[in-house]
Structures are given as structure tokens and as C-alpha cells.
């Protein structure tokens, strides 16, 4: 799994100026890390013949949701679904949870909602886009084992 677009999370956006709703230098750092992580799939595969590795680009999947949320059934991009504590990450004791959590990208200040995780898992399983899953998707990988 890649590192998510940290610069788009509510906890990061809370106290920093954003461009298009995200802190770009944090996203660039995550993107750089992810590109190196993706390249390890080929390196490790060569060093471990017979291994099956999949790189799931949750960064891209979440960014796509943020860029075009309504097409994915998401309506609240920059907000979390819960009342947060003072640090913006953790839940506040006795805090409120929004009624429609499936319409949000973030559950708390950092973590994706179940609705977003379902989209990531679905793409990991069936996507044929190398930008979303690399080298292959999980469905194809499991068929080759059967």
C-alpha cells in the first residue's frame, strides 16, 4: 500500500495554507516515497522468485476521489466525520459522528472512511490500471495460484 496523500488530510490542512485544498509539499514527499516503494516491487520480485507482490496506489485512488468526489458519491472532501480532539487527529471523548459517513473522504483527521477504503480495496482487486495497482491486480494474482 502506498502512503496516502497526507497533504489533503484535515489534520495537515488545519493550520497550513493549501493549494487546491491540499498542502502540496507534503503530497510531493508522499508521492516521491510511493514511487520508490513501487520500484521495490520489481527489485524484490527479482530477488525472491515465486513471490507475488502488488503495489496498491491508494495515494492516486484517494486523490482521484478528492479531485472528482461527486462521481464517487463523496460530498465532504476536507472534513472528517467525527468531532476531533485538540490535535485534530483523535476522536473527542463523547464527540459527535456525522450521520452520513459514507459521503466523507476522512473519518478522522488522517484516516479514510470505510467508503473510501471500499473503493481502494475494490480497485486493488479488479483494476487493470497500472497506475492504481502494479504489476497486477489481486484477482489476476489469485487466479494464477489456483
Amino acid at each position: 500500500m502506498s502512503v496516502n496523500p497526507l497533504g489533503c488530510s484535515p489534520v495537515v490542512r488545519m493550520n497550513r495554507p493549501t493549494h487546491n485544498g491540499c498542502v502540496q509539499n507534503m503530497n510531493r514527499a508522499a508521492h516521491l516515497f510511493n514511487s520508490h516503494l513501487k520500484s521495490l516491487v520489481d527489485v524484490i520480485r527479482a530477488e525472491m522468485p515465486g513471490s507475488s507482490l502488488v503495489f496498491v496506489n491508494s495515494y492516486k485512488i484517494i486523490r482521484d476521489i478528492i479531485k472528482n468526489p461527486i462521481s464517487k458519491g463523496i460530498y465532504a472532501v476536507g472534513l472528517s466525520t467525527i468531532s476531533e480532539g485538540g490535535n485534530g487527529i483523535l476522536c473527542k471523548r463523547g464527540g459527535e459522528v456525522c450521520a452520513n459517513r459514507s459521503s466523507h473522504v476522512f473519518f478522522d483527521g488522517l484516516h479514510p472512511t470505510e467508503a473510501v477504503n471500499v473503493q481502494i480495496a475494490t480497485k486493488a482487486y479488479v483494476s487493470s490500471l497500472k497506475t492504481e495497482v502494479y504489476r497486477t491486480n489481486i484477482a489476476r494474482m489469485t487466479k494464477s495460484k489456483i
Side-chain angles (χ1 to χ4, degrees):
M1 291 293 288
S2 70
V3 173
N4 293 339
L6 300 174
C8 298
S9 64
V11 68
V12 170
R13 296 175 58 223
M14 184 184 326
N15 296 313
R16 293 187 175 93
T18 65
H19 174 72
N20 290 334
C22 299
V23 177
Q24 295 306 312
N25 62 345
M26 293 206 56
N27 279 352
R28 280 192 294 275
H31 185 70
L32 178 63
F33 177 85
N34 291 337
S35 66
H36 289 286
L37 183 61
K38 180 180 175 184
S39 69
L40 283 177
V41 169
D42 293 322
V43 171
I44 293 172
R45 192 168 178 259
E47 293 175 1
M48 297 174 62
S51 63
S52 298
L53 299 169
V54 174
F55 172 77
V56 179
N57 194 351
S58 60
Y59 177 98
K60 180 195 181 317
I61 296 166
I62 292 172
R63 283 296 287 147
D64 288 349
I65 293 168
I66 290 170
K67 287 179 182 176
N68 194 5
I70 294 173
S71 71
K72 309 290 189 212
I74 304 289
Y75 300 95
V77 172
L79 305 171
S80 63
T81 65
I82 60 166
S83 300
E84 297 166 359
N87 64 6
I89 298 175
L90 302 174
C91 303
K92 183 167 74 175
R93 182 180 296 272
E96 302 265 333
V97 177
C98 68
N100 190 2
R101 292 176 296 284
S102 65
S103 68
H104 287 65
V105 174
F106 294 99
F107 174 74
D108 56 16
L110 190 59
H111 301 95
T113 59
E114 181 180 356
V116 171
N117 283 323
V118 165
Q119 290 186 43
I120 293 168
T122 300
K123 289 191 179 271
Y125 195 74
V126 298
S127 178
S128 59
L129 298 175
K130 299 287 186 208
T131 56
E132 293 178 340
V133 290
Y134 179 77
R135 293 186 56 114
T136 188
N137 65 41
I138 296 169
R140 266 192 232 118
M141 186 174 71
T142 57
K143 284 180 186 173
S144 66
K145 300 288 183 195
I146 296 174

